Amino acid sequence: MENQTLVKEICPTTAQEWLKKGALLVDVREKDEVAQLAYDAPNIINIPLSEFEERYTEVPKDKDVVMVCKGGGRSLRAAGFLVNHGYTNVVNMQHGIARWVQKGFPTKGDTTIVTGGDSCCSSSGCC
């Protein structure tokens, strides 16, 4: 099966630029995951993937939206769901909070959850 191209994907560096322009981060990790390690961003909401189909209307259609999770897979599914429900300004952040941490972007909590104490990802790929 080929990858679908319905959802644009961006890296954490580009996500930071989107945030500076007022985009909303939507974290689809479960509440216990967010309690351990959270994105420290000005415009962020948590809608766990397990509740997403019931709560997706909380995501505004008139704002730029960056979907995030731990590694990028769950947020990609949620972003695709939004696109299929008429959202046009949604992107997925590749590699999730793991790459966000590697890039040194702000978080709240224990980063060793995703790094294991050292670098979590190779430096290739992300801008």
Side-chain angles (χ1 to χ4, degrees):
M1 177 187 261
E2 293 182 32
N3 287 337
Q4 294 182 345
T5 56
L6 293 174
V7 178
K8 180 181 177 186
E9 293 195 277
I10 62 174
C11 69
T13 302
T14 303
Q16 284 286 327
E17 294 168 13
W18 279 54
L19 283 170
K20 288 177 186 169
K21 295 176 183 173
L24 174 69
L25 268 181
V26 179
D27 189 345
V28 299
R29 295 176 302 143
E30 298 302 314
K31 291 181 185 345
D32 62 325
E33 293 176 272
V34 174
Q36 293 176 327
L37 177 62
Y39 293 91
D40 189 3
N43 300 316
I44 186 166
I45 61 173
N46 175 231
I47 305 176
L49 192 60
S50 62
E51 303 170 11
F52 201 78
E53 286 188 37
E54 295 81 33
R55 295 182 53 198
Y56 78 93
T57 56
E58 294 174 31
V59 179
K61 280 191 171 184
D62 62 345
K63 286 192 78 138
D64 289 331
V65 177
V66 180
M67 304 300 293
V68 297
C69 65
K70 182 178 179 182
R74 287 177 284 177
S75 56
L76 181 60
R77 285 176 34 206
F81 181 89
L82 290 177
V83 168
N84 286 327
H85 283 81
Y87 287 74
T88 57
N89 51 351
V90 177
V91 296
N92 182 56
M93 188 181 80
Q94 294 175 311
H95 310 293
I97 201 164
R99 184 64 56 88
W100 181 276
V101 167
Q102 182 194 30
K103 290 291 185 181
F105 296 140
T107 59
K108 298 175 189 172
D110 182 6
T111 58
T112 62
I113 292 166
V114 294
T115 64
D118 23 75
S119 180
C120 65
C121 312
S122 69
S123 60
S124 64
C126 188
C127 54

Short mmCIF file of all heavy atoms in Angstrom, two decimals, residues 31-95:
data_model
loop_
_atom_site.label_atom_id
_atom_site.label_comp_id
_atom_site.label_asym_id
_atom_site.label_seq_id
_atom_site.Cartn_x
_atom_site.Cartn_y
_atom_site.Cartn_z
N LYS A 31 -3.71 11.15 28.01
CA LYS A 31 -3.49 12.06 29.14
C LYS A 31 -2.29 11.66 30.01
O LYS A 31 -1.53 12.51 30.46
CB LYS A 31 -4.75 12.17 30.00
CG LYS A 31 -5.89 12.89 29.31
CD LYS A 31 -7.11 12.99 30.22
CE LYS A 31 -8.34 13.57 29.63
NZ LYS A 31 -8.34 14.30 28.42
N ASP A 32 -2.11 10.35 30.24
CA ASP A 32 -0.97 9.92 31.06
C ASP A 32 0.36 10.20 30.38
O ASP A 32 1.35 10.52 31.05
CB ASP A 32 -1.11 8.44 31.44
CG ASP A 32 -1.10 7.51 30.24
OD1 ASP A 32 -1.62 7.88 29.17
OD2 ASP A 32 -0.56 6.38 30.37
N GLU A 33 0.41 10.12 29.05
CA GLU A 33 1.63 10.44 28.32
C GLU A 33 1.96 11.93 28.45
O GLU A 33 3.11 12.31 28.66
CB GLU A 33 1.48 10.09 26.84
CG GLU A 33 1.35 8.62 26.54
CD GLU A 33 1.11 8.40 25.06
OE1 GLU A 33 -0.06 8.41 24.63
OE2 GLU A 33 2.12 8.25 24.33
N VAL A 34 0.92 12.76 28.30
CA VAL A 34 1.10 14.21 28.39
C VAL A 34 1.54 14.61 29.80
O VAL A 34 2.36 15.51 29.97
CB VAL A 34 -0.19 14.95 27.97
CG1 VAL A 34 -0.07 16.44 28.20
CG2 VAL A 34 -0.51 14.65 26.51
N ALA A 35 1.02 13.91 30.81
CA ALA A 35 1.39 14.21 32.20
C ALA A 35 2.88 13.94 32.44
O ALA A 35 3.52 14.62 33.24
CB ALA A 35 0.55 13.38 33.16
N GLN A 36 3.45 12.96 31.73
CA GLN A 36 4.86 12.62 31.90
C GLN A 36 5.78 13.58 31.15
O GLN A 36 6.82 13.97 31.64
CB GLN A 36 5.14 11.20 31.42
CG GLN A 36 4.49 10.14 32.28
CD GLN A 36 4.72 8.76 31.69
OE1 GLN A 36 4.80 8.57 30.48
NE2 GLN A 36 4.82 7.78 32.57
N LEU A 37 5.38 13.93 29.92
CA LEU A 37 6.19 14.81 29.09
C LEU A 37 5.26 15.55 28.14
O LEU A 37 4.52 14.93 27.38
CB LEU A 37 7.22 14.01 28.28
CG LEU A 37 8.08 14.81 27.30
CD1 LEU A 37 8.93 15.85 28.03
CD2 LEU A 37 8.97 13.88 26.48
N ALA A 38 5.31 16.89 28.20
CA ALA A 38 4.41 17.70 27.38
C ALA A 38 5.18 18.70 26.54
O ALA A 38 6.28 19.12 26.92
CB ALA A 38 3.41 18.44 28.28
N TYR A 39 4.61 19.05 25.41
CA TYR A 39 5.12 20.17 24.63
C TYR A 39 4.88 21.44 25.45
O TYR A 39 3.82 21.60 26.04
CB TYR A 39 4.34 20.30 23.31
CG TYR A 39 4.54 19.16 22.35
CD1 TYR A 39 3.71 18.05 22.37
CD2 TYR A 39 5.55 19.20 21.40
CE1 TYR A 39 3.87 17.01 21.47
CE2 TYR A 39 5.73 18.17 20.50
CZ TYR A 39 4.89 17.07 20.53
OH TYR A 39 5.05 16.05 19.64
N ASP A 40 5.86 22.32 25.48
CA ASP A 40 5.69 23.62 26.14
C ASP A 40 5.50 24.65 25.03
O ASP A 40 6.46 25.23 24.54
CB ASP A 40 6.89 23.94 27.02
CG ASP A 40 6.67 25.16 27.89
OD1 ASP A 40 5.57 25.74 27.86
OD2 ASP A 40 7.63 25.56 28.58
N ALA A 41 4.25 24.82 24.62
CA ALA A 41 3.93 25.71 23.51
C ALA A 41 2.76 26.61 23.91
O ALA A 41 1.93 26.21 24.72
CB ALA A 41 3.56 24.87 22.29
N PRO A 42 2.71 27.80 23.33
CA PRO A 42 1.67 28.75 23.74
C PRO A 42 0.25 28.35 23.34
O PRO A 42 -0.68 28.59 24.11
CB PRO A 42 2.07 30.04 23.03
CG PRO A 42 2.94 29.62 21.89
CD PRO A 42 3.61 28.35 22.33
N ASN A 43 0.06 27.77 22.21
CA ASN A 43 -1.27 27.41 21.72
C ASN A 43 -1.34 25.90 21.53
O ASN A 43 -0.98 25.40 20.47
CB ASN A 43 -1.58 28.10 20.38
CG ASN A 43 -1.55 29.60 20.47
OD1 ASN A 43 -2.08 30.17 21.43
ND2 ASN A 43 -0.92 30.25 19.51
N ILE A 44 -1.80 25.19 22.56
CA ILE A 44 -1.83 23.73 22.48
C ILE A 44 -3.06 23.20 23.18
O ILE A 44 -3.48 23.74 24.21
CB ILE A 44 -0.54 23.11 23.07
CG1 ILE A 44 -0.52 21.59 22.84
CG2 ILE A 44 -0.36 23.48 24.52
CD1 ILE A 44 0.82 20.94 23.07
N ILE A 45 -3.66 22.17 22.59
CA ILE A 45 -4.75 21.44 23.25
C ILE A 45 -4.44 19.96 23.15
O ILE A 45 -3.74 19.52 22.24
CB ILE A 45 -6.15 21.77 22.66
CG1 ILE A 45 -6.24 21.40 21.18
CG2 ILE A 45 -6.52 23.21 22.90
CD1 ILE A 45 -7.65 21.53 20.59
N ASN A 46 -4.96 19.21 24.09
CA ASN A 46 -4.79 17.76 24.10
C ASN A 46 -6.14 17.12 23.85
O ASN A 46 -7.08 17.31 24.61
CB ASN A 46 -4.21 17.31 25.44
CG ASN A 46 -4.12 15.81 25.59
OD1 ASN A 46 -4.57 15.25 26.57
ND2 ASN A 46 -3.52 15.12 24.63
N ILE A 47 -6.23 16.39 22.74
CA ILE A 47 -7.40 15.56 22.46
C ILE A 47 -6.86 14.16 22.17
O ILE A 47 -6.37 13.89 21.07
CB ILE A 47 -8.21 16.07 21.25
CG1 ILE A 47 -8.62 17.53 21.43
CG2 ILE A 47 -9.44 15.17 21.03
CD1 ILE A 47 -9.35 18.12 20.22
N PRO A 48 -6.87 13.27 23.17
CA PRO A 48 -6.32 11.93 22.96
C PRO A 48 -6.96 11.23 21.76
O PRO A 48 -8.15 11.41 21.49
CB PRO A 48 -6.66 11.21 24.27
CG PRO A 48 -6.83 12.29 25.27
CD PRO A 48 -7.41 13.45 24.52
N LEU A 49 -6.15 10.47 21.04
CA LEU A 49 -6.65 9.77 19.87
C LEU A 49 -7.85 8.89 20.22
O LEU A 49 -8.78 8.76 19.43
CB LEU A 49 -5.54 8.94 19.22
CG LEU A 49 -5.85 8.38 17.83
CD1 LEU A 49 -6.13 9.50 16.84
CD2 LEU A 49 -4.71 7.51 17.34
N SER A 50 -7.85 8.34 21.44
CA SER A 50 -8.97 7.48 21.86
C SER A 50 -10.29 8.25 21.97
O SER A 50 -11.36 7.64 21.97
CB SER A 50 -8.64 6.82 23.20
OG SER A 50 -8.47 7.80 24.22
N GLU A 51 -10.22 9.58 22.03
CA GLU A 51 -11.42 10.41 22.12
C GLU A 51 -11.62 11.28 20.87
O GLU A 51 -12.56 12.07 20.80
CB GLU A 51 -11.30 11.36 23.34
CG GLU A 51 -11.09 10.66 24.66
CD GLU A 51 -10.74 11.65 25.78
OE1 GLU A 51 -10.86 12.88 25.59
OE2 GLU A 51 -10.36 11.17 26.86
N PHE A 52 -10.73 11.13 19.91
CA PHE A 52 -10.66 12.09 18.81
C PHE A 52 -11.93 12.16 17.96
O PHE A 52 -12.38 13.25 17.63
CB PHE A 52 -9.43 11.81 17.94
CG PHE A 52 -9.04 13.01 17.13
CD1 PHE A 52 -8.35 14.06 17.74
CD2 PHE A 52 -9.37 13.13 15.80
CE1 PHE A 52 -8.00 15.19 17.03
CE2 PHE A 52 -9.03 14.25 15.08
CZ PHE A 52 -8.33 15.29 15.69
N GLU A 53 -12.50 11.01 17.62
CA GLU A 53 -13.70 11.04 16.78
C GLU A 53 -14.86 11.77 17.43
O GLU A 53 -15.66 12.38 16.75
CB GLU A 53 -14.11 9.61 16.39
CG GLU A 53 -13.20 9.01 15.35
CD GLU A 53 -13.71 7.68 14.82
OE1 GLU A 53 -14.93 7.53 14.65
OE2 GLU A 53 -12.87 6.81 14.58
N GLU A 54 -14.93 11.71 18.76
CA GLU A 54 -16.01 12.39 19.48
C GLU A 54 -15.70 13.87 19.70
O GLU A 54 -16.61 14.68 19.85
CB GLU A 54 -16.26 11.75 20.86
CG GLU A 54 -16.78 10.32 20.80
CD GLU A 54 -15.67 9.29 20.58
OE1 GLU A 54 -14.54 9.49 21.05
OE2 GLU A 54 -15.95 8.27 19.90
N ARG A 55 -14.42 14.25 19.72
CA ARG A 55 -14.05 15.60 20.12
C ARG A 55 -13.39 16.44 19.02
O ARG A 55 -13.03 17.59 19.26
CB ARG A 55 -13.08 15.53 21.31
CG ARG A 55 -13.70 14.94 22.57
CD ARG A 55 -12.73 14.93 23.73
NE ARG A 55 -12.15 16.25 23.99
CZ ARG A 55 -11.03 16.44 24.70
NH1 ARG A 55 -10.40 15.42 25.25
NH2 ARG A 55 -10.56 17.65 24.88
N TYR A 56 -13.26 15.90 17.81
CA TYR A 56 -12.51 16.62 16.79
C TYR A 56 -13.07 18.00 16.47
O TYR A 56 -12.34 18.88 16.01
CB TYR A 56 -12.38 15.78 15.50
CG TYR A 56 -13.61 15.76 14.64
CD1 TYR A 56 -13.77 16.68 13.60
CD2 TYR A 56 -14.63 14.83 14.85
CE1 TYR A 56 -14.90 16.66 12.81
CE2 TYR A 56 -15.74 14.80 14.06
CZ TYR A 56 -15.89 15.73 13.04
OH TYR A 56 -17.00 15.71 12.25
N THR A 57 -14.36 18.22 16.74
CA THR A 57 -14.94 19.54 16.44
C THR A 57 -14.39 20.64 17.36
O THR A 57 -14.63 21.82 17.12
CB THR A 57 -16.47 19.50 16.54
OG1 THR A 57 -16.85 19.03 17.84
CG2 THR A 57 -17.07 18.59 15.48
N GLU A 58 -13.63 20.27 18.40
CA GLU A 58 -12.95 21.26 19.24
C GLU A 58 -11.80 21.91 18.49
O GLU A 58 -11.29 22.95 18.91
CB GLU A 58 -12.43 20.61 20.52
CG GLU A 58 -13.52 20.11 21.45
CD GLU A 58 -12.97 19.34 22.64
OE1 GLU A 58 -11.84 19.65 23.10
OE2 GLU A 58 -13.67 18.42 23.12
N VAL A 59 -11.36 21.30 17.40
CA VAL A 59 -10.28 21.86 16.59
C VAL A 59 -10.90 22.89 15.65
O VAL A 59 -11.77 22.55 14.84
CB VAL A 59 -9.56 20.75 15.78
CG1 VAL A 59 -8.45 21.36 14.93
CG2 VAL A 59 -9.02 19.66 16.71
N PRO A 60 -10.48 24.15 15.75
CA PRO A 60 -11.09 25.18 14.90
C PRO A 60 -10.72 25.00 13.44
O PRO A 60 -9.58 24.68 13.11
CB PRO A 60 -10.51 26.48 15.46
CG PRO A 60 -9.27 26.10 16.20
CD PRO A 60 -9.46 24.68 16.64
N LYS A 61 -11.70 25.22 12.57
CA LYS A 61 -11.44 25.11 11.13
C LYS A 61 -10.79 26.37 10.57
O LYS A 61 -10.25 26.34 9.47
CB LYS A 61 -12.76 24.86 10.38
CG LYS A 61 -13.21 23.42 10.43
CD LYS A 61 -14.35 23.17 9.47
CE LYS A 61 -14.63 21.69 9.37
NZ LYS A 61 -15.67 21.38 8.39
N ASP A 62 -10.84 27.46 11.32
CA ASP A 62 -10.33 28.74 10.81
C ASP A 62 -8.91 29.07 11.28
O ASP A 62 -8.45 30.18 11.12
CB ASP A 62 -11.29 29.87 11.19
CG ASP A 62 -11.42 30.05 12.70
OD1 ASP A 62 -11.02 29.13 13.46
OD2 ASP A 62 -11.92 31.10 13.12
N LYS A 63 -8.21 28.09 11.86
CA LYS A 63 -6.83 28.30 12.30
C LYS A 63 -5.92 27.28 11.63
O LYS A 63 -6.36 26.19 11.27
CB LYS A 63 -6.71 28.10 13.83
CG LYS A 63 -7.28 29.22 14.66
CD LYS A 63 -6.85 29.08 16.10
CE LYS A 63 -5.44 29.54 16.24
NZ LYS A 63 -5.16 30.33 17.43
N ASP A 64 -4.65 27.64 11.52
CA ASP A 64 -3.65 26.66 11.09
C ASP A 64 -3.44 25.70 12.25
O ASP A 64 -3.33 26.11 13.40
CB ASP A 64 -2.33 27.34 10.73
CG ASP A 64 -2.42 28.12 9.44
OD1 ASP A 64 -3.21 27.74 8.56
OD2 ASP A 64 -1.69 29.12 9.31
N VAL A 65 -3.39 24.41 11.94
CA VAL A 65 -3.32 23.36 12.96
C VAL A 65 -2.14 22.43 12.67
O VAL A 65 -1.98 21.95 11.55
CB VAL A 65 -4.63 22.56 13.00
CG1 VAL A 65 -4.54 21.42 14.01
CG2 VAL A 65 -5.82 23.46 13.33
N VAL A 66 -1.33 22.19 13.71
CA VAL A 66 -0.23 21.23 13.63
C VAL A 66 -0.56 20.08 14.56
O VAL A 66 -0.68 20.25 15.77
CB VAL A 66 1.12 21.87 14.04
CG1 VAL A 66 2.25 20.85 13.94
CG2 VAL A 66 1.42 23.11 13.20
N MET A 67 -0.72 18.89 14.00
CA MET A 67 -1.03 17.70 14.77
C MET A 67 0.27 17.07 15.26
O MET A 67 1.23 16.95 14.49
CB MET A 67 -1.80 16.69 13.91
CG MET A 67 -3.07 17.23 13.28
SD MET A 67 -4.28 17.80 14.48
CE MET A 67 -4.72 16.23 15.24
N VAL A 68 0.29 16.67 16.56
CA VAL A 68 1.51 16.11 17.15
C VAL A 68 1.18 14.93 18.05
O VAL A 68 0.07 14.79 18.55
CB VAL A 68 2.29 17.18 17.97
CG1 VAL A 68 2.77 18.31 17.08
CG2 VAL A 68 1.46 17.73 19.12
N CYS A 69 2.19 14.08 18.25
CA CYS A 69 2.09 12.96 19.19
C CYS A 69 3.51 12.60 19.62
O CYS A 69 4.39 13.45 19.61
CB CYS A 69 1.33 11.77 18.59
SG CYS A 69 2.14 10.98 17.19
N LYS A 70 3.75 11.34 19.96
CA LYS A 70 5.09 10.93 20.40
C LYS A 70 6.04 10.72 19.22
O LYS A 70 7.18 11.16 19.25
CB LYS A 70 5.01 9.64 21.23
CG LYS A 70 6.36 9.19 21.75
CD LYS A 70 6.27 7.96 22.62
CE LYS A 70 7.65 7.53 23.10
NZ LYS A 70 7.57 6.30 23.90
N GLY A 71 5.57 10.03 18.19
CA GLY A 71 6.46 9.71 17.07
C GLY A 71 5.96 10.14 15.70
O GLY A 71 6.64 9.97 14.71
N GLY A 72 4.75 10.66 15.63
CA GLY A 72 4.21 11.15 14.36
C GLY A 72 3.16 10.27 13.72
O GLY A 72 2.45 10.70 12.81
N GLY A 73 3.00 9.04 14.19
CA GLY A 73 2.05 8.12 13.57
C GLY A 73 0.60 8.38 13.95
O GLY A 73 -0.27 8.46 13.08
N ARG A 74 0.35 8.52 15.23
CA ARG A 74 -1.03 8.77 15.67
C ARG A 74 -1.52 10.13 15.17
O ARG A 74 -2.67 10.28 14.76
CB ARG A 74 -1.13 8.69 17.19
CG ARG A 74 -1.05 7.28 17.73
CD ARG A 74 -1.08 7.27 19.23
NE ARG A 74 0.20 7.70 19.76
CZ ARG A 74 0.49 7.86 21.04
NH1 ARG A 74 -0.45 7.66 21.96
NH2 ARG A 74 1.68 8.21 21.45
N SER A 75 -0.64 11.12 15.23
CA SER A 75 -1.04 12.45 14.78
C SER A 75 -1.31 12.47 13.28
O SER A 75 -2.20 13.18 12.81
CB SER A 75 0.01 13.50 15.15
OG SER A 75 1.29 13.15 14.65
N LEU A 76 -0.60 11.64 12.52
CA LEU A 76 -0.86 11.55 11.08
C LEU A 76 -2.25 10.97 10.83
O LEU A 76 -2.99 11.46 9.98
CB LEU A 76 0.21 10.69 10.39
CG LEU A 76 0.07 10.54 8.88
CD1 LEU A 76 0.13 11.89 8.17
CD2 LEU A 76 1.16 9.61 8.35
N ARG A 77 -2.62 9.96 11.60
CA ARG A 77 -3.97 9.39 11.48
C ARG A 77 -5.03 10.44 11.80
O ARG A 77 -6.03 10.58 11.10
CB ARG A 77 -4.13 8.18 12.39
CG ARG A 77 -3.42 6.95 11.85
CD ARG A 77 -3.47 5.73 12.73
NE ARG A 77 -4.66 5.55 13.51
CZ ARG A 77 -4.73 4.88 14.65
NH1 ARG A 77 -3.63 4.35 15.16
NH2 ARG A 77 -5.86 4.73 15.29
N ALA A 78 -4.81 11.19 12.89
CA ALA A 78 -5.77 12.22 13.29
C ALA A 78 -5.84 13.34 12.25
O ALA A 78 -6.92 13.85 11.94
CB ALA A 78 -5.40 12.78 14.66
N ALA A 79 -4.70 13.72 11.70
CA ALA A 79 -4.68 14.76 10.66
C ALA A 79 -5.45 14.30 9.43
O ALA A 79 -6.23 15.07 8.85
CB ALA A 79 -3.24 15.11 10.29
N GLY A 80 -5.27 13.05 9.05
CA GLY A 80 -6.02 12.49 7.92
C GLY A 80 -7.51 12.50 8.20
O GLY A 80 -8.32 12.80 7.31
N PHE A 81 -7.89 12.19 9.41
CA PHE A 81 -9.30 12.22 9.82
C PHE A 81 -9.85 13.64 9.63
O PHE A 81 -10.95 13.82 9.08
CB PHE A 81 -9.43 11.78 11.28
CG PHE A 81 -10.84 11.76 11.79
CD1 PHE A 81 -11.63 10.62 11.65
CD2 PHE A 81 -11.38 12.87 12.42
CE1 PHE A 81 -12.94 10.61 12.12
CE2 PHE A 81 -12.68 12.86 12.91
CZ PHE A 81 -13.47 11.72 12.75
N LEU A 82 -9.10 14.64 10.09
CA LEU A 82 -9.56 16.03 9.94
C LEU A 82 -9.69 16.42 8.47
O LEU A 82 -10.69 17.04 8.09
CB LEU A 82 -8.60 16.99 10.65
CG LEU A 82 -8.60 16.94 12.18
CD1 LEU A 82 -7.55 17.88 12.74
CD2 LEU A 82 -9.98 17.26 12.74
N VAL A 83 -8.71 16.07 7.66
CA VAL A 83 -8.77 16.37 6.23
C VAL A 83 -10.02 15.74 5.61
O VAL A 83 -10.73 16.37 4.83
CB VAL A 83 -7.48 15.91 5.51
CG1 VAL A 83 -7.65 15.94 4.00
CG2 VAL A 83 -6.30 16.77 5.95
N ASN A 84 -10.30 14.50 6.00
CA ASN A 84 -11.49 13.82 5.48
C ASN A 84 -12.79 14.41 6.00
O ASN A 84 -13.86 14.08 5.51
CB ASN A 84 -11.43 12.32 5.80
CG ASN A 84 -10.42 11.60 4.93
OD1 ASN A 84 -10.22 11.96 3.78
ND2 ASN A 84 -9.76 10.61 5.50
N HIS A 85 -12.69 15.29 7.01
CA HIS A 85 -13.88 15.96 7.56
C HIS A 85 -13.88 17.45 7.24
O HIS A 85 -14.47 18.26 7.96
CB HIS A 85 -13.98 15.71 9.08
CG HIS A 85 -14.48 14.35 9.40
ND1 HIS A 85 -13.65 13.23 9.39
CD2 HIS A 85 -15.72 13.89 9.69
CE1 HIS A 85 -14.37 12.16 9.69
NE2 HIS A 85 -15.62 12.54 9.86
N GLY A 86 -13.20 17.82 6.17
CA GLY A 86 -13.30 19.17 5.65
C GLY A 86 -12.29 20.18 6.15
O GLY A 86 -12.38 21.36 5.80
N TYR A 87 -11.32 19.77 6.93
CA TYR A 87 -10.29 20.70 7.39
C TYR A 87 -9.25 20.86 6.28
O TYR A 87 -8.80 19.87 5.71
CB TYR A 87 -9.62 20.19 8.66
CG TYR A 87 -10.48 20.30 9.90
CD1 TYR A 87 -11.54 19.42 10.12
CD2 TYR A 87 -10.22 21.27 10.86
CE1 TYR A 87 -12.32 19.51 11.26
CE2 TYR A 87 -11.00 21.36 12.01
CZ TYR A 87 -12.05 20.49 12.20
OH TYR A 87 -12.82 20.58 13.32
N THR A 88 -8.86 22.08 6.01
CA THR A 88 -7.93 22.33 4.91
C THR A 88 -6.58 22.89 5.36
O THR A 88 -5.64 22.94 4.58
CB THR A 88 -8.54 23.32 3.91
OG1 THR A 88 -8.88 24.53 4.60
CG2 THR A 88 -9.78 22.73 3.24
N ASN A 89 -6.48 23.31 6.61
CA ASN A 89 -5.27 23.97 7.09
C ASN A 89 -4.58 23.14 8.18
O ASN A 89 -4.14 23.66 9.19
CB ASN A 89 -5.61 25.36 7.61
CG ASN A 89 -6.77 25.33 8.62
OD1 ASN A 89 -7.42 24.30 8.80
ND2 ASN A 89 -7.01 26.44 9.27
N VAL A 90 -4.47 21.83 7.93
CA VAL A 90 -3.91 20.90 8.91
C VAL A 90 -2.63 20.27 8.37
O VAL A 90 -2.59 19.85 7.22
CB VAL A 90 -4.93 19.76 9.22
CG1 VAL A 90 -4.34 18.75 10.17
CG2 VAL A 90 -6.22 20.34 9.76
N VAL A 91 -1.61 20.22 9.22
CA VAL A 91 -0.38 19.51 8.89
C VAL A 91 -0.03 18.57 10.03
O VAL A 91 -0.50 18.74 11.16
CB VAL A 91 0.81 20.47 8.62
CG1 VAL A 91 0.55 21.34 7.41
CG2 VAL A 91 1.14 21.31 9.84
N ASN A 92 0.78 17.59 9.74
CA ASN A 92 1.27 16.66 10.75
C ASN A 92 2.75 16.97 11.00
O ASN A 92 3.50 17.21 10.06
CB ASN A 92 1.13 15.22 10.28
CG ASN A 92 1.60 14.24 11.34
OD1 ASN A 92 1.11 14.26 12.46
ND2 ASN A 92 2.55 13.39 10.98
N MET A 93 3.16 16.95 12.28
CA MET A 93 4.56 17.12 12.59
C MET A 93 5.23 15.75 12.64
O MET A 93 4.90 14.91 13.47
CB MET A 93 4.75 17.84 13.93
CG MET A 93 6.21 18.21 14.17
SD MET A 93 6.48 19.03 15.73
CE MET A 93 6.49 17.63 16.84
N GLN A 94 6.17 15.54 11.74
CA GLN A 94 6.89 14.28 11.67
C GLN A 94 7.74 14.05 12.92
O GLN A 94 8.26 15.00 13.50
CB GLN A 94 7.83 14.27 10.46
CG GLN A 94 7.14 14.31 9.14
CD GLN A 94 8.14 14.42 8.00
OE1 GLN A 94 9.03 15.26 8.04
NE2 GLN A 94 7.99 13.57 7.01
N HIS A 95 7.85 12.81 13.30
CA HIS A 95 8.75 12.35 14.38
C HIS A 95 8.35 12.80 15.78
O HIS A 95 9.04 12.49 16.74
CB HIS A 95 10.20 12.75 14.10
CG HIS A 95 10.67 12.39 12.72
ND1 HIS A 95 10.82 11.08 12.31
CD2 HIS A 95 10.98 13.16 11.65
CE1 HIS A 95 11.22 11.07 11.05
NE2 HIS A 95 11.32 12.31 10.63
#
